[in-house]
Amino acid sequence: MKFVLLFVLLVPLLVVSAHNAQETGFQRPDPNNARAMARWLVASNSWGVISTISLHLGGAPWGNIASFSDGPEGNATGTPYFYLSRMDPTPLDIEADPRCSLCLSEAPIGTCGTKDAENPTCARLTLSGKMVELSKEGDEGRYALEALYSKHPEMKAWPKDHDWRIYKLQIDNIFLVDYFGGAKRITVEEYYSTVKAVTLSTAM
Amino acid sequence: MKFVLLFVLLVPLLVVSAHNAQETGFQRPDPNNARAMARWLVASNSWGVISTISLHLGGAPWGNIASFSDGPEGNATGTPYFYLSRMDPTPLDIEADPRCSLCLSEAPIGTCGTKDAENPTCARLTLSGKMVELSKEGDEGRYALEALYSKHPEMKAWPKDHDWRIYKLQIDNIFLVDYFGGAKRITVEEYYSTVKAVTLSTAM
């Protein structure tokens, strides 16, 4: 009898929960769920700033705007892929020193309202690691290009003679501020294991 | 007679020009006017990414979202001022190595339409140099705080115990992409001398 009652109580709850999850998959997660917040920021933003050790400024830290995608629509993997031209300094910096960071704000998503971008409740995320160039012929390179074209269709028409390269950020450090009380530590394992929490599916 | 004619022709022109300048001071400049574009991006954005050499990641390049202001409303100086908490890694990085960059996109201003942030016609700017801490009691420190409070009124209410410091970016390199054909070189002198071109007044 107890199990039947439990079942009767749980099933509608699970149905409602699954329904909400489907509906709110890309909605702003609760700040108590730091891992989901980090994944949501990556899935919902279309551009950020790549920081590199600059060749053209003698090793000074340098930032550049870059579009990115972490998967085709509805299939966010958490791994940011980039389509960068070697006519820009960023790929040249990466070739000399692959260490870099990708910094994102919640502000461009439009969910910070009138809050300041530096206000801790307007979330900000920095993913650090190494930038790895992907072969256009390889499986992951083809997937990355599909992910990029899906979120940035205009890339398909960008001039072919600009020496475009495909990169992925191999994340080894995650810095998130999404509430009062200081930055939150999220391990790379937690970041990649949080898929179900935000109902984002992984393709690879 | 010639001078009178010149005067008669010039005065209305100057009046019309001043009137337009007043009206369009904060409108998107023509991409042919790279200096004005750079100043407009700084005057019109309220936040960007500061890239530093990171202490907590052993010298890797690191980026963090920061609000800034280059002057009180209607009085853009071109110099970005910051209000940063030492509870964040950025000021600690700056203390160890003041070299840094501020990277801005036109996208948050809202004038890129559906264009990709990496599309060269959606302007992007990187100002590089050294971050200098300003005394809150000094003239420039007081001016910087006024500039910051004017654009970011919520800063006045930020918790006083977070060890806030005021900084300015002493610019020594400017990287601008605002059209096809590669990045544009603007000297620091050109950047600061462009005030009239965009009708931004300088306070100091």
Side-chain angles (χ1 to χ4, degrees):
Chain A
M1 181 60 194
K2 268 184 185 167
F3 286 102
V4 173
L5 196 65
L6 199 66
F7 186 79
V8 169
L9 283 169
L10 271 182
V11 166
L13 262 176
L14 288 171
V15 169
V16 168
S17 158
H19 181 69
N20 282 344
Q22 207 177 352
E23 279 189 353
T24 62
F26 282 87
Q27 282 186 13
R28 190 184 202 269
D30 188 288
N32 287 322
N33 192 346
R35 299 181 281 181
M37 184 66 84
R39 289 292 295 272
W40 175 77
L41 285 166
V42 173
S44 307
N45 264 301
S46 66
W47 62 273
V49 171
I50 300 178
S51 297
T52 52
I53 300 290
S54 171
L55 275 181
H56 77 286
L57 293 179
W62 196 73
N64 200 2
I65 300 292
S67 296
F68 72 91
S69 167
D70 77 332
E73 207 58 44
N75 205 6
T77 65
T79 298
Y81 295 109
F82 301 87
Y83 190 63
L84 306 175
S85 163
R86 280 186 86 257
M87 292 173 80
D88 241 12
T90 306
L92 309 183
D93 291 351
I94 290 166
E95 285 166 24
D97 186 340
R99 294 177 300 168
C100 68
S101 292
L102 171 68
C103 183
L104 309 176
S105 167
E106 186 187 341
I109 303 171
T111 39
C112 287
T114 58
K115 278 184 293 194
D116 225 87
E118 199 177 305
N119 182 318
T121 64
C122 178
R124 53 192 154 106
L125 176 74
T126 308
L127 303 175
S128 303
K130 282 185 182 163
M131 203 68 100
V132 178
E133 190 180 339
L134 301 174
S135 156
K136 285 172 191 161
E137 282 73 44
D139 282 350
E140 192 170 6
R142 283 202 299 270
Y143 179 78
L145 206 54
E146 183 195 332
L148 286 157
Y149 284 170
S150 162
K151 277 209 173 172
H152 308 277
E154 67 169 90
M155 281 181 179
K156 292 179 205 168
W158 288 359
K160 297 298 174 210
D161 60 352
H162 279 33
D163 201 358
W164 297 100
R165 306 290 176 103
I166 307 169
Y167 297 89
K168 78 163 167 180
L169 179 60
Q170 212 161 53
I171 304 165
D172 58 35
N173 188 280
I174 299 165
F175 171 94
L176 173 76
V177 173
D178 68 351
Y179 203 68
F180 305 108
K184 293 174 181 174
R185 294 178 63 85
I186 307 164
T187 67
V188 176
E189 292 68 30
E190 287 168 339
Y191 175 80
Y192 279 110
S193 69
T194 193
V195 177
K196 283 175 189 160
V198 283
T199 70
L200 300 168
S201 60
T202 45
M204 53 198 319
Chain B
M1 182 61 193
K2 268 184 187 169
F3 286 103
V4 174
L5 197 65
L6 199 67
F7 187 78
V8 169
L9 284 169
L10 270 183
V11 165
L13 263 175
L14 288 171
V15 168
V16 168
S17 159
H19 181 70
N20 283 347
Q22 206 175 356
E23 278 188 354
T24 62
F26 282 86
Q27 281 185 12
R28 189 182 200 272
D30 188 287
N32 287 321
N33 192 346
R35 299 180 282 180
M37 184 66 85
R39 289 291 296 272
W40 175 77
L41 286 166
V42 173
S44 308
N45 265 301
S46 67
W47 61 274
V49 171
I50 300 178
S51 297
T52 52
I53 300 291
S54 173
L55 275 180
H56 77 285
L57 293 179
W62 196 73
N64 200 2
I65 301 291
S67 295
F68 73 90
S69 168
D70 77 332
E73 208 57 46
N75 204 6
T77 65
T79 298
Y81 295 110
F82 302 88
Y83 190 63
L84 305 174
S85 163
R86 279 187 84 255
M87 293 173 80
D88 241 14
T90 307
L92 310 182
D93 291 351
I94 290 167
E95 284 166 26
D97 186 339
R99 293 177 301 168
C100 68
S101 291
L102 171 67
C103 182
L104 309 176
S105 167
E106 186 187 341
I109 303 171
T111 39
C112 287
T114 57
K115 279 183 292 193
D116 224 87
E118 201 178 305
N119 182 318
T121 64
C122 179
R124 53 190 153 107
L125 177 73
T126 308
L127 303 175
S128 302
K130 282 186 182 163
M131 203 66 101
V132 178
E133 191 180 337
L134 301 174
S135 157
K136 285 173 191 162
E137 282 72 44
D139 281 351
E140 192 169 6
R142 282 201 300 269
Y143 178 79
L145 206 54
E146 184 195 331
L148 287 157
Y149 284 170
S150 160
K151 278 210 174 173
H152 309 276
E154 68 169 270
M155 280 182 180
K156 292 179 203 166
W158 288 0
K160 296 298 173 208
D161 60 352
H162 279 33
D163 201 357
W164 297 101
R165 306 290 176 102
I166 307 169
Y167 297 89
K168 79 163 167 180
L169 179 60
Q170 212 160 54
I171 304 164
D172 57 35
N173 188 280
I174 299 165
F175 171 94
L176 173 76
V177 173
D178 68 350
Y179 203 68
F180 305 107
K184 293 175 181 174
R185 295 179 61 87
I186 306 165
T187 67
V188 176
E189 292 67 31
E190 286 167 340
Y191 176 79
Y192 279 111
S193 69
T194 192
V195 177
K196 283 177 191 159
V198 283
T199 71
L200 301 168
S201 59
T202 44
M204 50 200 319

